[in-house]
């Protein structure tokens, strides 16, 4: 008997009919002589609605209370899925993240998993139960509820698959797998049969519909992840170690991320230690910085620009402005109407011309590049958010990603 871990996203459990559909899928997996653990997200847009409600009550909700509030969305969906399975005649039980043994640090709203005790899950499986776990959450040593960050039900599923030594982790969503681009923007986008962890991590970090930390964890423990649709029967995409691209001379895909803001510190004195004095306070409050550009010094003054998630922009500016004043900079400005478009592929490592092709495609589409960042297998351009659809279509065509 194999043990599999499945995860169902918010769109898959958005209403009663879809919850019943998910229950039927889980029940079918159990009928195939598998032990099944299923992780579920909150129904539809529940998390967004809870965040909006919290901000109607408080201008600055306490992170601890936000975590407890947001965790309720997953509790609702996991109990309803368990009820649907019981109605079908299946033995099933729902567990919160804490009951499932997910232990975290105390970094509320973006906690990290510090340990996993799957003994309760194992006991329920041995008793013949299908176990439904609320995703996105865990508990601290003090038993405070934490959440793992947006989209982190993927992370819950991968962590449980590893901890339970499952045969595989299956991620069910509203698309049929991983595509060469968002098919809503590029109708010609092609579904990939397989993709390696390295490429998938870059795509996830730069806008593809997977939680990056889940890919990091799966790669570290060599846990294969199958991404499929919960709405139709179709082969998905296998994310696994050492997966060769279908054509290693091509890019794997184009990703776009609209959650981007830019902060520029003007007139920064050009002396040792200044960069550390700017970025250390941001790190202390848990704000991740992505692209960093420093202009050439003129009269020992320079401008320093960096990007953060748009959701962190206000807090980042609050932290950076007093630092800028303390180091004698002229001040800070910010822009929120930005996005990242990225081309990813291991084929870039030893093949020239990818950057030139990308820049030419954006130029011919009339799209200005504000900042550029690269890795061995990725090129990312910061552009105007309004230009994302044209940029993704132009890059997909330029790299001929619609072709096998």
């Amino acid at each position: 008997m194999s043990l599999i871990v499945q995860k169902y996203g918010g769109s898959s459990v958005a209403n009663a009919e879809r919850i019943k559909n998910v229950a039927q899928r889980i029940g079918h997996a159990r009928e195939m002589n598998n032990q099944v653990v299923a992780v579920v997200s909150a129904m539809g847009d529940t998390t967004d609605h809870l965040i909006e409600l919290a901000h109607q009550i408080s201008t600055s909700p306490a992170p601890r209370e936000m975590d407890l509030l947001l965790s309720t969305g997953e509790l609702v969906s996991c109990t309803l899925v368990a009820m649907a399975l019981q109605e079908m005649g299946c033995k099933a039980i729902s567990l919160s993240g804490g009951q499932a043994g997910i232990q975290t640090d105390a970094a509320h709203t973006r906690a990290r998993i510090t340990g996993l005790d799957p003994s309760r899950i194992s006991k329920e499986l041995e008793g013949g139960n299908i176990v439904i776990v609320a995703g996105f959450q865990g508990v601290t040593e003090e038993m405070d509820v934490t959440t793992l960050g947006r989209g982190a039900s993927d992370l819950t599923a991968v962590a449980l698959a590893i901890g339970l030594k499952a045969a595989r982790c299956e991620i069910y969503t509203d698309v049929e797998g991983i595509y060469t681009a968002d098919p809503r923007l590029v109708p010609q986008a092609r579904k990939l049969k397989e993709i390696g962890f390295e490429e998938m991590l870059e795509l996830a970090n730069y806008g593809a519909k997977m939680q990056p930390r889940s890919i990091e964890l799966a790669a570290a423990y060599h846990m294969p992840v199958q991404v499929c649709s919960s709405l139709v029967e179709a082969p998905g995409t296998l994310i696994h170690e050492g997966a060769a691209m279908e054509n290693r001379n091509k890019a794997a895909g184009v990703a776009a991320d609209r959650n981007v803001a830019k902060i520029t510190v003007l007139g920064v004195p050009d002396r040792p230690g200044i960069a550390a004095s700017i970025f250390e306070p941001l790190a202390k409050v848990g704000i991740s910085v992505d692209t960093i550009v420093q202009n050439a010094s003129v009269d020992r003054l320079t401008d320093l620009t960096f990007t953060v998630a748009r959701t962190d922009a206000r807090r980042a500016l609050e932290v950076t402005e007093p630092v800028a004043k303390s180091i004698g900079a002229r001040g800070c400005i910010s822009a929120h109407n930005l996005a990242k478009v990225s081309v990813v592929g291991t084929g870039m490592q030893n093949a020239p011309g990818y950057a030139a092709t990308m820049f030419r495609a954006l130029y011919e589409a009339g799209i200005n590049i504000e900042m550029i960042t690269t890795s061995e297998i990725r090129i990312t351009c910061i552009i105007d958010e309004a230009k994302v659809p044209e940029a993704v279509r132009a890059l997909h065509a330029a790299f001929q990603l619609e072709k096998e």
Side-chain angles (χ1 to χ4, degrees):
M1 179 180 287
S2 295
L3 191 159
I4 61 173
V5 174
Q6 300 180 334
K7 177 262 179 178
Y8 292 91
S11 59
S12 300
V13 292
N15 53 46
E17 181 180 352
R18 290 192 175 182
I19 286 173
K20 291 177 182 178
N21 174 63
V22 163
Q24 289 172 354
R25 284 181 172 271
I26 296 170
H28 177 69
R30 181 68 183 88
E31 289 170 0
M32 300 300 289
N33 201 32
N34 294 305
Q35 291 181 311
V36 184
V37 176
V39 175
V40 294
S41 298
M43 298 173 63
D45 296 325
T46 298
T47 301
D48 290 333
H49 292 156
L50 289 172
I51 292 171
E52 182 181 348
L53 181 60
H55 285 280
Q56 290 175 11
I57 300 297
S58 171
T59 55
S60 183
R64 180 192 179 276
E65 306 309 323
M66 283 297 292
D67 272 359
L68 193 57
L69 173 66
L70 298 183
S71 71
T72 63
E74 278 70 17
L75 293 175
V76 169
S77 54
C78 83
T79 52
L80 291 173
V81 171
M83 290 177 189
L85 283 162
Q86 292 162 3
E87 187 71 13
M88 291 164 49
C90 300
K91 288 186 66 177
I93 187 169
S94 60
L95 300 176
S96 68
Q99 290 171 322
I102 298 171
Q103 302 152 3
T104 78
D105 61 21
H108 286 287
T109 74
R110 60 184 75 196
R112 301 191 73 86
I113 297 174
T114 57
L116 179 65
D117 177 9
S119 56
R120 173 70 185 277
I121 296 177
S122 297
K123 177 184 174 182
E124 297 297 346
L125 291 171
E126 289 168 7
N129 272 311
I130 298 169
V131 181
I132 313 300
V133 178
F136 172 65
Q137 61 186 257
V139 292
T140 66
E141 288 184 358
E142 292 74 28
M143 297 304 293
D144 281 330
V145 174
T146 56
T147 63
L148 306 175
R150 294 304 296 265
S153 291
D154 289 351
L155 180 62
T156 302
V158 170
L160 290 178
I162 293 165
L164 293 164
K165 296 180 170 59
R168 62 187 181 276
C169 181
E170 301 173 349
I171 305 291
Y172 289 92
T173 181
D174 56 355
V175 294
E176 296 180 18
I178 305 301
Y179 284 75
T180 51
D182 185 339
R184 292 169 297 185
L185 297 179
V186 185
Q188 301 83 10
R190 179 171 50 86
K191 184 174 66 178
L192 300 169
K193 296 175 184 176
E194 62 176 353
I195 187 170
F197 286 126
E198 187 180 16
E199 288 171 323
M200 189 64 237
L201 180 57
E202 290 281 17
L203 286 171
N205 271 317
Y206 288 87
K209 201 174 182 181
M210 280 288 291
Q211 216 270 355
R213 285 160 60 196
S214 69
I215 303 303
E216 288 179 345
L217 192 62
Y221 288 89
H222 318 293
M223 174 58 64
V225 178
Q226 184 83 29
V227 181
C228 306
S229 171
S230 65
L231 305 177
V232 297
E233 294 292 341
T237 301
L238 181 63
I239 307 168
H240 64 122
E241 190 172 37
M245 283 174 45
E246 291 161 335
N247 184 341
R248 283 185 105 36
N249 294 322
K250 292 179 63 177
V254 179
D257 180 8
R258 300 171 187 264
N259 185 21
V260 180
K262 177 178 73 172
I263 294 174
T264 299
V265 186
L266 302 168
V268 177
D270 185 8
R271 62 175 184 265
I274 287 295
S277 66
I278 293 173
F279 293 115
E280 283 176 351
L282 292 168
K284 286 179 181 178
V285 297
I287 294 175
S288 295
V289 174
D290 187 21
T291 307
I292 303 172
V293 174
Q294 180 172 302
N295 296 334
S297 174
V298 177
D299 296 329
R300 301 199 64 78
L301 293 176
T302 184
D303 293 343
L304 191 150
T305 300
F306 58 92
T307 62
V308 296
R310 193 177 303 172
T311 48
D312 289 332
R314 188 173 80 170
R315 179 65 176 139
L317 201 57
E318 290 172 352
V319 170
T320 305
E321 284 178 329
V323 173
K325 184 177 181 180
S326 72
I327 64 175
R330 293 204 309 269
C332 299
I333 58 174
S334 63
H336 295 197
N337 59 332
L338 300 172
K340 289 181 275 196
V341 289
S342 304
V343 175
V344 173
T346 54
M348 295 181 179
Q349 288 177 315
N350 299 306
Y354 280 87
T357 300
M358 184 176 191
F359 302 153
R360 169 62 63 177
L362 293 176
Y363 161 69
E364 291 179 351
I367 296 167
N368 186 52
I369 300 170
E370 299 211 12
M371 301 169 72
I372 301 167
T373 180
T374 65
S375 76
E376 286 188 345
I377 65 167
R378 171 190 50 79
I379 306 170
T380 297
C381 294
I382 311 297
I383 64 170
D384 186 335
E385 182 188 10
K387 297 290 187 178
V388 164
E390 298 100 303
V392 172
R393 286 192 285 268
L395 293 172
H396 196 274
F399 287 96
Q400 300 182 323
L401 295 179
E402 70 282 358
K403 297 180 180 179
E404 290 283 351

